[in-house]
């Protein structure tokens, strides 16, 4: 109890000040990771969360808010001076301007610090004034987690597995033919290596555009300031009979090892290992719309992504984590505003079923987990239309392509997830008994009342799960 008294006194004095020793000791920091594969909805999610925490009129499920204990929420300079800041203002301006747009793709790590001033609850309520809690939100591409799998592989094993996978893919035909024709025993020729890497990258880009989600190494498609450097200039090659010094295969091997040591390891050590709470966003509806193959790809890729949350799985990683682990892990199916709310439970059930295998294997190292369906920014309203005598629960919004208003009934999701997941697993080409059409909606023009954030679905529940216990 005494500790709280002291804390409160100090908190009040350094209120709004920059970090100090006392802040480190008395103002707890929660690091929340936000991840998901490309286009999963990370940027929109973070922007909407921040906007709805700064103006909390639509956050009734956030307990501290419902109890009236949140005195203030404000943005602060982030502690990590070398990470790009999450460009909240620009993304919010895009989403809520006169001509609302979805924000541009981001594809790199960024961070934002949000600070809360809250009155303590329960037994402690009578003791002293408010506390300050900092929430650091870290946005990073889920693809980077896939690279964790590379750390356990040698260049030889990775090449073999990758070439085997590529052999079955039409979009990889050019690269596979080129790689098979290459003799890795020959002396290194930089122009040839660059050509191989360029073709391999072109394959990865084509695979991504087809909706494939296993496009590793992650940085080939998201190179940032590493573009063109040797650490990103390698590709899988069959192992030749001899791999002498100075051979192409040896050099590729060296670069692959450098990628692991200089690109992958620092991300896990400096960022991933410090995350306390994590939300993983998944565009499950998008995958269902694309068909069984996309659903199966998403399921397999998520299982791989999530193995990163299993620190016990090898000694190397445990060492890196220093015994720390993620305490809470939330899986969220995004863009749920494409569905009438009567279908949300089915979407959540499919999401849970997709993750079942990964969860059974790991149980996420004791982390508390949950799943839900949400829309970070609600772009539709619900409606019911009559068709052929049936009443269909649908949604209505402004179409991205034409700007026209339209109602959409995307199809009925089965309440038994196996109806989708089994055919997907068995390699079906298309859904047998149903079609799931999706239209892309533009964000709607908003007129917000004072104290109200942009409209959403279950964003408050997501925030409550992630940080509610710390407020
Ligand atoms: N209807 C609807 N669409 C959404 C929502 N959130 C995201 N989207 C759509 O999904 C797209 C991708 O969202 P982003 O937040 O940019 O996704 P991201 O994960 O940051 O994507 P990258 O930065 O490319 O990795 C958007 O351009 C929207 O079209 C939502 O809540 N509702
Ligand atoms: Mg983004």
């Amino acid at each position: 109890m005494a500790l709280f008294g002291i804390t409160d006194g100090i908190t009040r004095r350094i209120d709004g000040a920059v970090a100090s020793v006392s802040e480190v000791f008395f103002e707890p920091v929660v690091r929340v990771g936000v991840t998901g594969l490309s286009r999963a909805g990370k940027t929109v999610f973070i922007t909407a969360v921040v906007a709805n925490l700064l103006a909390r009129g639509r956050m009734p499920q956030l307990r501290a808010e419902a109890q009236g204990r949140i005195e203030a929420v404000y943005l602060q300079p982030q502690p990590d001076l070398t990470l790009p800041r999450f460009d909240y203002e620009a993304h919010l301006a895009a989403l809520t301007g006169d001509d609302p747009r979805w924000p541009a793709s981001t594809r790199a790590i960024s961070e934002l610090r949000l600070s809360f001033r809250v009155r303590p609850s329960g037994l402690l309520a009578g003791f002293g004034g408010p506390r300050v809690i900092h929430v650091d939100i870290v946005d990073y591409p889920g693809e980077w987690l896939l690279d964790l799998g590379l750390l356990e592989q040698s260049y030889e094993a990775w090449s073999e597995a990758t070439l085997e996978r590529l052999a079955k893919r039409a979009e990889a035909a050019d690269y596979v033919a080129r790689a098979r024709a290459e003799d890795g025993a020959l002396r290194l020729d930089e122009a040839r290596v660059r050509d191989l890497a360029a073709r391999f990258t072109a394959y990865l880009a084509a695979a991504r555009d087809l909706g494939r989600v296993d496009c590793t190494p992650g940085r080939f498609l998201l190179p940032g300031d590493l573009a063109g450097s040797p650490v990103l200039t390698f590709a899988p090659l069959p192992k030749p009979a001899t791999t002498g010094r100075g051979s192409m295969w040896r050099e590729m091997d060296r670069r692959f090892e450098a990628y692991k040591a200089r690109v992958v390891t620092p991300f896990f050590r400096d960022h991933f290992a410090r995350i306390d709470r994590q939300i993983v966003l998944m565009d499950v509806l998008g995958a269902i719309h694309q068909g069984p193959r996309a659903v199966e790809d998403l399921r397999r890729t998520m299982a791989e992504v999530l193995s990163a949350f299993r620190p016990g799985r090898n000694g190397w990683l445990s060492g890196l984590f220093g015994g720390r682990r993620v305490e809470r892990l939330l899986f969220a199916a995004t863009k749920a505003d494409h569905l009438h709310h009567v279908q949300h439970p089915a979407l959540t059930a499919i999401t849970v079923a997709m993750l079942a295998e990964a969860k059974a294997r790991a149980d996420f190292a004791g982390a508390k987990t949950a799943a839900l369906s949400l829309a970070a920014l609600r772009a539709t309203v619900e409606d019911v239309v009559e068709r052929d005598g049936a009443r269909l629960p649908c949604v209505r919004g402004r179409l991205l392509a034409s700007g026209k208003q339209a109602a959409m009934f995307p199809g009925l999701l089965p309440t038994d997830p196996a109806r989708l997941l089994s055919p997907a697993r068995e390699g079906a080409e298309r859904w047998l008994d149903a079609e799931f059409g999706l239209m892309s909606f533009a964000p709607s023009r908003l007129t917000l009342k004072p104290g109200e954030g942009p409209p959403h679905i279950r964003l408050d529940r997501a925030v409550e799960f992630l940080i509610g216990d710390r407020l």
Side-chain angles (χ1 to χ4, degrees), residues 62-362:
L62 183 61
R63 245 177 0 152
E65 175 63 21
Q67 295 167 347
R69 293 192 290 105
I70 303 183
E71 293 197 343
V73 179
Y74 43 97
L75 287 167
Q76 290 236 84
Q78 68 196 45
D80 299 272
L81 301 180
T82 56
L83 272 190
R85 179 177 181 274
F86 180 85
D87 198 354
Y88 167 68
E89 292 77 8
H91 299 317
L92 185 72
L95 287 171
T96 60
D98 281 341
D99 175 24
R101 282 166 290 117
W102 297 110
S105 182
T106 44
R107 329 220 127 161
I109 188 166
S110 65
E111 185 188 51
L112 193 70
R113 168 166 283 196
L114 203 57
S115 299
F116 289 71
R117 195 164 64 233
V118 289
R119 281 199 307 278
S121 64
L123 282 177
L124 304 175
F127 291 83
R131 296 169 299 136
V132 171
I133 294 142
H134 305 291
V135 176
D136 291 343
I137 302 174
V138 184
D139 169 14
Y140 65 93
E143 284 82 357
W144 291 9
L145 296 181
L146 293 176
D147 280 350
L148 187 61
L150 299 183
L151 292 175
E152 298 169 322
Q153 292 177 50
S154 65
Y155 174 63
E156 182 181 350
W158 173 74
S159 288
E160 206 172 289
T162 307
L163 288 170
E164 195 183 309
R165 183 150 36 95
L166 266 54
K168 297 182 211 121
R169 298 187 171 182
E171 72 274 19
D174 170 71
Y175 179 74
V176 172
R178 179 74 181 74
R180 299 256 178 243
E182 190 60 64
D183 182 358
L186 296 179
R187 257 199 101 62
L188 168 75
D189 171 347
E190 192 60 41
R192 295 246 290 280
V193 175
R194 269 211 306 276
D195 177 56
L196 280 162
R199 286 170 196 252
F200 181 58
T201 309
Y203 148 71
L204 289 173
R208 181 192 57 201
D209 294 345
L210 282 171
R212 294 202 199 274
V213 282
D214 51 358
C215 306
T216 53
R219 297 299 163 93
F220 276 55
L221 292 178
L222 314 165
D225 52 7
L226 293 173
S229 65
V231 83
L232 295 191
T233 311
F234 64 88
L237 277 186
K239 189 174 186 183
T242 59
T243 56
R245 293 191 97 205
S247 68
M248 172 133 56
W249 196 89
R250 271 270 196 113
E251 179 62 16
M252 293 271 205
D253 183 10
R254 208 170 67 86
R255 293 181 185 188
F256 179 79
E257 292 302 327
Y259 180 82
K260 283 160 52 178
R262 306 281 192 81
V263 178
V264 183
T265 305
F267 164 69
F268 279 94
R269 183 189 58 218
D270 302 338
H271 304 299
F272 185 74
R274 293 166 56 214
I275 285 168
D276 303 304
R277 311 285 168 97
Q278 177 73 53
I279 179 166
V280 180
L281 303 174
M282 296 166 65
D283 185 5
V284 177
L285 271 178
I288 295 173
H289 170 59
Q290 283 185 47
R293 209 203 57 208
V295 167
E296 178 60 8
D297 272 357
L298 180 61
R299 188 190 69 76
R300 272 193 300 105
T301 308
M302 289 315 295
E304 209 175 308
V305 161
L306 295 177
S307 65
F309 294 97
R310 205 158 30 124
R313 77 177 197 166
N314 68 30
W316 175 86
L317 199 55
S318 312
L320 211 61
F321 282 87
R324 270 183 88 239
R325 45 186 55 168
V326 157
E327 302 157 337
R328 291 183 175 213
L329 192 47
L330 179 61
F331 300 102
T334 52
K335 313 179 195 180
D337 56 332
H338 286 100
L339 292 179
H340 191 278
H341 75 269
V342 296
Q343 295 218 55
H344 291 177
L347 178 61
T348 307
I350 292 165
T351 308
V352 169
M354 271 180 125
L355 298 166
E357 189 184 316
K359 190 165 193 292
R361 267 193 289 151

Side-chain angles (χ1 to χ4, degrees), residues 42 48 85 88 157 178 194 198 291 323 378 409 425 440 467:
K42 303 177 289 292
R85 179 177 181 274
Y88 167 68
R178 179 74 181 74
R194 269 211 306 276
R378 183 174 196 159
F409 176 70
R425 214 181 263 252
S440 294
I467 58 169

